[in-house]
Amino acid sequence: MPTSRTGRPPARKAGRPAARVPRDNPVRRLHLRARKAWDRPLTAYYLILGGSLLITVLGLVMVYSASQITALQLSLPGSYFFRKQFLAALIGGALLFAASRMPVKLHRALAYPILAGAVFMMVLVQVPGIGLSVNGNQNWISLGGSFQIQPSEFGKLALVLWGADLLARKQERRLLTQWKHMLVPLVPAAFMLLGLIMLGGDMGTAIILTAILFGLLWLAGAPTRLFVGVLSVALAIGFVLIKTSPNRMSRLACIGATEPGPNDTCWQAVHGIYALASGGFFGSGLGASVEKWGQLPEAHTDFIFAITGEELGLAGTLSVLALFAALGYAGIRVAGRTEDPFVRYAAGGVTTWITAQAVINIGAVLGLLPIAGVPLPLFSYGGSALLPTMFAIGLLIAFAREDPAARAALAMRQPRFGRKRGAVRESARAAGPRRWNTMRRRASAARSSGER
């Protein structure tokens, strides 16, 4: 120790105390943890699996609550609609599991058989004696007893799989740089499905199918002028169909209505708002809805979101919205991080289908959109809508598992007998961090910059 001239240790000079290093802000730490969790390889996998299961289970609960009075009014057991929905959920769960375990090649092989089967069933709907008319729409086929099937719901799945396979094969051959290869035969086939659906008068399903078509064209990197052209034709056709139908015009006039109007034209739309308004923050409790006692038509199908708001309040409706938002985010993430064109188109098509249908249904209940007669995916009553939707969720799960980083993470969490963990870790490191690439950027990479 150095000393002074007197032999004593030098006195310490009085100075400012050492500055303390400030601790991290708790909000910042929470933000960093959340961001780290979002970037994990299995985030999309768990969001799709957990979100879809939560929506389905909550939907079963609300179907049981919302359909009891309707069943009793029809002299049926109170759990009649719930039992049918629960059976459909069991079958849909088996389809989800099967789809999640199928390889991508098998999904592509099923595209044409599913399309052919959907077209065949939609043609049968128009055959007298086979097709059934429900609420003025000829879109049903009786399976015997009280079981019916709506083939147009399977047309959504058919368009997603077949359109994804078609665009993927054309991209592999570098044909999507030509507008005719981008449109033909995708757009004519989609219009054929739309024509078969509109023969039965189901405008809502036709809107969802149109949204899927636009989603596929957007993912394929369609030029803006081509995209706007197809959209203009679709809007013109939709305007004519709405203008020539008094029923559709009356639904359009009920947007934002607060009174039932003459002849109770807006009865359903207004009572849906009443149900949401009477729920408050936490609702009146399960089973305590007033509107389901005959005031609100289709309480367990198209307007089940209104009953959810009345019984579970704002907290329940926001939870449903958060689950659909998480599902949509996970689907976009799967489509954006893959290098397989078929996976990108199929995942984007399924995400467009589910999110567009949820937005149209919830928007109609809130009075922001016309009532289109489409159910809330995975939530509303209806086996015909639940089965293809759960199969589509299985597709997303399979695609999320196909990611190399996710595959390595799953292998590390579930090591097989005789497999060394070191080898699994090496495969995980070999996968490396995956850079975020937008979907349209890669889809249009082969196109010259002047084409747009």
Side-chain angles (χ1 to χ4, degrees):
M1 176 181 296
T3 59
S4 62
R5 293 181 180 179
T6 59
R8 297 178 181 179
R12 296 182 179 178
K13 296 181 180 180
R16 297 180 181 178
R20 295 182 179 180
V21 179
R23 295 182 179 180
D24 290 340
N25 190 348
V27 177
R28 183 181 179 185
R29 286 204 307 267
L30 182 61
H31 172 71
L32 292 177
R33 287 182 181 180
R35 185 175 180 180
K36 185 177 180 181
W38 285 118
D39 290 336
R40 290 178 180 174
L42 293 177
T43 297
Y45 172 76
Y46 286 126
L47 280 179
I48 296 170
L49 180 60
S52 59
L53 290 181
L54 286 175
I55 294 172
T56 305
V57 171
L58 183 58
L60 287 173
V61 174
M62 293 310 305
V63 164
Y64 180 66
S65 177
S67 64
Q68 286 181 332
I69 306 304
T70 303
L72 294 175
Q73 289 175 345
L74 297 174
S75 301
L76 297 170
S79 60
Y80 174 78
F81 293 104
F82 168 76
R83 286 181 294 178
K84 292 184 65 177
Q85 185 74 355
F86 184 72
L87 177 61
L90 290 179
I91 300 174
L95 291 176
L96 184 149
F97 179 79
S100 65
R101 294 293 177 175
M102 289 180 185
V104 175
K105 291 183 179 180
L106 183 55
H107 288 144
R108 300 187 68 168
L110 290 175
Y112 281 88
I114 292 178
L115 177 65
V119 171
F120 177 73
M121 288 193 299
M122 281 192 283
V123 171
L124 285 181
V125 168
Q126 306 304 324
V127 177
I130 298 179
L132 298 177
S133 178
V134 178
N135 294 331
N137 292 338
Q138 183 88 9
N139 286 310
W140 298 83
I141 295 177
S142 177
L143 299 180
S146 60
F147 292 94
Q148 301 172 352
I149 189 172
Q150 188 176 2
S152 57
E153 293 290 341
F154 294 87
K156 304 172 186 175
L157 178 62
L159 181 60
V160 167
L161 283 177
W162 177 77
D165 178 67
L166 175 70
L167 292 175
R169 285 189 287 108
K170 290 196 173 188
Q171 182 175 335
E172 291 167 358
R173 299 176 184 177
R174 299 186 178 182
L175 297 176
L176 291 182
T177 55
Q178 305 176 28
W179 67 268
K180 59 181 181 181
H181 283 288
M182 185 173 292
L183 294 183
V184 181
L186 177 62
V187 174
F191 280 3
M192 176 191 66
L193 293 174
L194 289 171
L196 291 173
I197 292 173
M198 288 307 301
L199 282 177
D202 191 357
M203 186 74 176
T205 305
I207 294 175
I208 305 300
L209 222 67
T210 306
I212 295 174
L213 173 62
F214 289 152
L216 291 174
L217 290 176
W218 185 83
L219 290 171
T224 305
R225 59 181 181 276
L226 186 63
F227 198 84
V228 172
V230 176
L231 180 61
S232 301
V233 173
L235 290 177
I237 295 175
F239 176 79
V240 173
L241 292 175
I242 293 174
K243 195 69 176 178
T244 55
S245 174
N247 182 32
R248 298 188 186 114
M249 285 296 297
S250 63
R251 292 187 179 187
L252 193 65
C254 291
I255 297 178
T258 56
E259 295 292 338
N263 299 323
D264 294 333
T265 306
C266 301
W267 179 274
Q268 187 178 22
V270 170
H271 278 272
I273 297 296
Y274 289 168
L276 290 171
S278 61
F281 284 100
F282 299 104
S284 57
L286 279 174
S289 169
V290 175
E291 291 293 333
K292 69 182 180 183
W293 286 79
Q295 299 296 324
L296 180 61
E298 306 295 338
H300 60 294
T301 55
D302 301 345
F303 271 69
I304 194 171
F305 188 77
I307 302 299
T308 304
E310 185 179 6
E311 295 188 350
L312 301 182
L314 181 64
T317 54
L318 290 181
S319 299
V320 174
L321 291 175
L323 289 174
F324 276 109
L327 195 59
Y329 165 80
I332 293 174
R333 175 168 173 162
V334 170
R337 292 194 173 187
T338 183
E339 300 294 337
D340 189 335
F342 172 78
V343 173
R344 180 169 63 253
Y345 295 134
V350 170
T351 306
T352 303
W353 162 15
I354 294 176
T355 53
Q357 187 165 329
V359 168
I360 292 174
N361 177 275
I362 296 174
V365 174
L366 295 176
L368 304 176
L369 296 174
I371 299 174
V374 296
L376 190 58
L378 301 172
F379 202 84
S380 297
Y381 170 80
S384 296
L386 185 62
L387 295 182
T389 306
M390 295 194 76
F391 187 89
I393 294 295
L395 289 178
L396 289 180
I397 295 175
F399 298 155
R401 291 169 59 95
E402 285 295 321
D403 184 86
R407 203 162 48 232
L410 287 173
M412 289 183 64
R413 295 193 175 191
Q414 298 176 357
R416 297 185 178 181
F417 179 77
R419 191 173 183 180
K420 296 181 179 180
R421 284 183 174 268
V424 177
R425 292 194 183 96
E426 288 297 331
S427 63
R429 282 196 294 267
R434 299 189 60 81
R435 187 179 59 185
W436 179 272
N437 293 320
T438 60
M439 293 174 284
R440 282 177 63 89
R441 188 183 303 162
R442 288 200 308 278
S444 58
R447 187 182 298 107
S448 60
S449 58
E451 187 168 337
R452 194 177 288 275

